[in-house]
Amino acid sequence: AASGDPAPTLEWYFGGNLVGTGNSLTINNIAASQAGEYRCLAKNSTGSVNCNPVTISVSQSVKILGQPAATP
């Protein structure tokens, strides 16, 4: 969370694109393409400051598509 006077707003960026606003960023149903570095920008009428970046890693789980064949 960021504090200041006046109270700052937060913007979240991924790959240079705005992906959310507010004190936290929620990513539902995350995909491998969303892994990487996320940054936030806190700003108010007196200026802005970049937050420390955070790196998100996405692990894929194994999905069984069919039963294995019987072995002789």
Side-chain angles (χ1 to χ4, degrees), residues 10-29:
L10 270 75
E11 296 177 343
W12 294 89
Y13 292 87
F14 175 67
N17 298 311
L18 179 66
V19 294
T21 58
N23 287 335
S24 63
L25 176 66
T26 301
I27 305 170
N28 296 312
N29 301 314

Side-chain angles (χ1 to χ4, degrees), residues 3-69:
S3 61
D5 186 27
T9 59
L10 270 75
E11 296 177 343
W12 294 89
Y13 292 87
F14 175 67
N17 298 311
L18 179 66
V19 294
T21 58
N23 287 335
S24 63
L25 176 66
T26 301
I27 305 170
N28 296 312
N29 301 314
I30 195 165
S33 62
Q34 294 169 296
E37 190 173 89
Y38 287 76
R39 297 179 174 271
C40 72
L41 177 69
K43 63 183 184 176
N44 64 16
S45 60
T46 63
S48 63
V49 64
N50 286 306
C51 306
N52 291 331
V54 63
T55 300
I56 302 292
S57 298
V58 179
S59 298
Q60 299 282 349
S61 60
V62 174
K63 184 175 184 181
I64 299 173
L65 301 175
Q67 294 294 326

